[in-house]
Amino acid sequence: MTEDLTHPTQWVVIEQPIHTSRHTKLAIAQVTLPDGVKFEQPVLRVTPAAMCVVVDEDSKVLMMRRHRFVMDRWMWELPGGYLDDPNEDPARCAAREAEEETGWRPATVEHLVSYQSMSGTADAPQHVFLGRGAVYVGHEITVDINEAERVAWIPLSDAVAFIAQNSLGSASVIGLLAARERLGLR
C-alpha cells in the first residue's frame, strides 16, 4: 500500500515564467483550490538577502538614509543586500554588506530572525543578524555612493520610533525590534 502524499487542503499550482533577471523571477501561477475553484496569481521569487543590525556599546544602531525609487521615498534602513550566490553564508553576507555600504565592519554577527515579508505573493527570504564590535574601515574601502545619502549611528530607541513615522522598510522594522528584544532594551 502506498501513502497518498497529497494533503486535502493543498493547492495545485503550475507556474508559467514571465520574466527573469539577476535577482528576481516573475511568474503567473495557475492555481486550483481544493474545492475546484481556479484563479491566476502573480508570483515573485527573489534571491535571499541578509541585513545587519550593527549596535555599539552605547546602544546606537548603524543606519543608512537612502532613496527608494519604487515608492519615491527617503527611508532609514539597515545595511544589507542579496547573497552573492546560493551557497553564501547569510551571516557572512550581512557582515560584508554592512562593511561595503557603511565602512563599518562588525567583529561578530549572530542570527536574529529569518522571515518572508510577502508570503502570499513573493518568495523573498530575509535573514537579519545582530552585529557587534564594529570597527571603522572606511578609510580602507570606498563606500558606495549609490547606496546611501547618509550613514549615521542612531540611538536604538530613536530608530524604533521611525516605525511610527512609516520611514523604515520591513527588514529594518523587524531587525530593530528583534535587536531591541535580544539586547533587553525598551
Side-chain angles (χ1 to χ4, degrees), residues 38-99:
K38 296 181 180 194
F39 65 93
E40 289 186 343
Q41 169 78 29
V43 176
L44 178 63
R45 299 195 184 281
V46 181
T47 301
M51 282 61 62
C52 198
V53 184
V54 182
V55 178
D56 70 7
E57 62 278 350
D58 296 323
S59 298
K60 291 183 179 174
V61 62
L62 184 60
M63 298 196 74
M64 307 175 339
R65 186 167 186 269
R66 64 192 331 174
H67 183 257
R68 288 299 187 182
F69 78 91
V70 174
M71 300 172 295
D72 192 22
R73 292 188 43 211
W74 287 91
M75 304 179 78
W76 283 98
E77 294 185 353
L78 300 171
Y82 298 115
L83 276 63
D84 278 345
D85 68 65
N87 297 316
E88 184 178 18
D89 175 34
R92 179 171 286 198
C93 175
R96 173 180 53 75
E97 289 288 340
E99 181 176 336

Side-chain angles (χ1 to χ4, degrees), residues 21 42 55 90 92 122 124 130 181 184:
S21 67
V55 178
R92 179 171 286 198
L130 177 63
E181 182 71 23

Side-chain angles (χ1 to χ4, degrees), residues 33 38 52 84 93 119 136 157 163 165:
L33 298 177
K38 296 181 180 194
C52 198
D84 278 345
C93 175
S119 59
Y136 185 69
S157 58
I163 296 169
Q165 300 166 12

